[in-house]
Amino acid sequence: MMMNRRTLTRIAGAAALAAAVATPSFAADLAPEAMVQKVSGETLAAIKADKALQGGDINKIISLVDSKVMPHVDFARMTASAVGPAWRSATPAQKGQLQQEFKRLLVRTYAGAFNSVGDRQVKVLPMRAGTAGANDVVVRSQLVGSGDPISLDYRLTRTPGKGLGWKAYNLNIGGVWMIDSYKQQFAQEVNTKGIDGLIATLAAKNKSNAAGR
């Protein structure tokens, strides 16, 4: 028996509703390269709009990066990866301290790329083929303008409905992936001084950086 047009319309509408429920879309989610362009571009624009930031006030730049960029970074994952196997045996208090000190270190390193921006602009490079629909991607970008380009690349994981839909779990600043750079250093500290020794070393480094030494 053939279905009439009204019945078919109802079935199609129900199917569309079921598909929407099964695979929700989030208005705030962006494509990964759009997310990087937005976050980096807004950070750069804020620096250009503030004379103290334009003058290279590193403490203000750090504060800006902390508020603009770091909410889009998965610090728990980054810290766990950098610390390695010792992370699993760390206490909750130690994990909290490690994340706090590692965050301070990374924020300063990342902020350094935006120091004295001049006429620089953010340029997001084309995504590599085959990444469409992937849950983990690498987005490559550069700060371009006067002088040599500064590379800023991001390893991102999809976070549907959270933030802009992606969070970074590794950063490449000037050709160096941060997790890879720190992993060996952290392992040596843990092997010789334990988790508390690593925390003390990071705290001392951050204190030295804050003092400008």
Side-chain angles (χ1 to χ4, degrees):
M1 181 173 62
M2 295 182 64
M3 297 182 182
N4 61 35
R5 181 173 297 177
R6 180 175 295 180
T7 301
L8 288 172
T9 300
R10 288 175 178 171
I11 292 173
L17 177 60
V21 171
T23 55
S25 61
F26 301 98
D29 288 0
L30 299 177
E33 61 269 43
M35 176 265 199
V36 168
Q37 182 71 59
K38 175 180 174 63
V39 173
S40 299
E42 288 180 354
T43 302
L44 197 60
I47 293 174
K48 291 183 176 182
D50 188 308
K51 291 188 180 299
L53 292 172
Q54 291 176 43
D57 186 328
I58 190 64
N59 289 323
K60 290 198 69 173
I61 295 175
I62 288 171
S63 179
L64 175 68
V65 169
D66 194 22
S67 63
K68 286 283 189 181
V69 179
M70 295 304 142
H72 305 288
V73 176
D74 185 345
F75 264 104
R77 180 172 178 177
M78 288 188 74
T79 311
S81 296
V83 174
W87 177 260
R88 293 192 293 270
S89 61
T91 67
Q94 288 173 325
K95 289 179 179 179
Q97 288 177 292
L98 283 168
Q99 287 187 62
Q100 181 180 359
E101 297 300 340
F102 191 40
K103 178 181 178 180
R104 288 176 181 171
L105 189 62
L106 284 181
V107 166
R108 177 173 286 272
T109 303
Y110 185 86
F114 285 86
N115 195 8
S116 301
V117 295
D119 64 346
R120 290 186 182 274
Q121 301 290 333
V122 176
K123 178 182 179 182
V124 176
L125 303 179
M127 296 281 287
R128 290 191 169 92
T131 58
N135 290 323
D136 285 83
V137 299
V138 174
V139 175
R140 298 171 299 138
S141 73
Q142 295 176 335
L143 293 179
V144 297
S146 300
D148 295 332
I150 300 173
S151 64
L152 292 171
D153 302 338
Y154 306 80
R155 291 192 184 278
L156 306 177
T157 188
R158 192 186 295 274
T159 57
K162 297 179 181 179
L164 298 176
W166 299 87
K167 279 205 170 187
Y169 64 93
N170 203 349
L171 305 171
N172 185 319
I173 303 174
V176 178
W177 286 104
M178 293 293 98
I179 298 303
D180 303 331
S181 173
Y182 287 113
K183 186 175 290 187
Q184 186 174 359
Q185 299 175 42
F186 287 5
Q188 291 174 348
E189 288 288 332
V190 171
N191 287 338
T192 58
K193 303 176 184 177
I195 289 290
D196 286 333
L198 174 58
I199 294 170
T201 296
L202 290 175
K205 176 66 174 175
N206 286 323
K207 183 176 181 180
S208 176
N209 285 339
R213 297 194 296 270

